[in-house]
Amino acid sequence: MSQIAQPVEVRRLGADDAAAFSALRREVTRADPVPMGLTFEEELTRTLEGFRAQLSAPLPNAVFGCFVLGELAATAAVSRAGQFPSSHHKMVMWGVFTSPRHRRRGLGRQVVETALQHAFDNGVHRVNLQVYLPNESAIVLYKSIGFVEYGVESEAVCLDGQYHDGVHMTLAKDRHDKPRHPTAFDAR
C-alpha cells in the first residue's frame, strides 16, 4: 500500500499547544514507556498547567512540534543546561518522540533538525541528550545526524521493576551535518 504525502508543518509550540502535547505524550508512553523514561501512570500525573509553563519557557529554550494535517505528530525540545552563563554554550535535547501512527516518515528527523538549528542559531556550541535503552531507532537517527556516544548511565530509570540504561550522546555545532566514519567516536 502506498503512502500519500500529507502536508507537514514544523513550528515552535506555545502554551496553547499544551493539550495536544499532553495527548501525544500519553499516546507514546502508553505504547512504550521506555523511550519516555516514565510509566504511563506517572505521565497521567502531569498537568496541563505544568505543560503550559514548560511550553512557555523563555528563549532560547524551545519545544518544536511537527504537525500532520493539523495534528501534533512529533516533538523535540532544547533547553539550557544550566542557569549560569558558564554553561550557556550547551543545551539539552529532550522530549523527542513521534506518535506510533506517524513513525517511519522522517517526522522525528525534521523536528530534531529544527530544534538543533534553533540551538545553534542561538549561539550554542553543543547539544547533549540521553536515550533510554532499548531504543535502537533513536540511536540510529542521532548517529545519522552526527551525534556520538560519550557514556552510559547504568540503570538510568526503573520502569515497572525493570532497569533501563541511558546512553549519553553529544553533537558539537562543527560536527552537525558533516559525514562521519561509522567507527569515529571522537566527541570533540
Side-chain angles (χ1 to χ4, degrees):
M1 179 161 66
S2 66
Q3 284 188 344
I4 298 171
Q6 298 173 329
V8 173
E9 174 193 15
V10 178
R11 66 171 174 81
R12 184 171 179 221
L13 300 183
D16 291 345
D17 297 302
F21 186 65
S22 176
L24 177 59
R25 288 181 58 92
R26 288 176 179 195
E27 177 187 7
V28 170
T29 306
R30 183 181 293 120
D32 183 3
V34 175
M36 296 294 284
L38 74 168
T39 65
F40 183 67
E41 291 74 21
E42 290 171 323
E43 183 61 39
L44 290 176
T45 68
R46 309 275 318 262
T47 67
L48 283 182
E49 263 323 297
F51 287 130
R52 282 187 193 97
Q54 195 171 34
L55 295 174
S56 300
L59 290 171
N61 301 311
V63 180
F64 294 92
C66 184
F67 293 81
V68 175
L69 297 174
E71 176 190 358
L72 183 60
T75 64
V78 286
S79 296
R80 288 261 192 230
Q83 69 181 25
F84 298 108
S86 56
S87 65
H88 286 182
H89 66 286
K90 61 185 176 178
M91 293 187 94
V92 175
M93 181 167 280
W94 61 274
V96 178
F97 45 87
T98 302
S99 163
R101 296 174 291 111
H102 294 283
R103 290 187 180 149
R104 304 196 56 82
R105 297 182 189 176
L107 304 180
R109 177 180 295 278
Q110 281 185 277
V111 77
V112 165
E113 288 285 4
T114 299
L116 286 171
Q117 195 60 56
H118 170 81
F120 296 142
D121 286 349
N122 279 278
V124 171
H125 171 72
R126 177 174 302 282
V127 175
N128 298 322
L129 58 82
Q130 183 175 27
V131 178
Y132 300 116
L133 301 177
N135 193 345
E136 190 59 32
S137 61
I139 300 283
V140 168
L141 169 65
Y142 296 132
K143 284 184 176 181
S144 74
I145 291 170
F147 278 87
V148 293
E149 296 178 21
Y150 69 92
V152 174
E153 178 184 354
S154 297
E155 301 176 347
V157 293
C158 183
L159 303 171
D160 296 323
Q162 184 173 357
Y163 292 101
H164 299 272
D165 295 346
V167 173
H168 293 274
M169 301 184 82
T170 190
L171 175 65
K173 181 179 180 177
D174 63 351
R175 299 290 220 191
H176 186 224
D177 283 336
K178 293 187 179 166
R180 294 181 52 82
H181 188 276
T183 60
F185 292 103
D186 173 28
R188 186 175 65 109

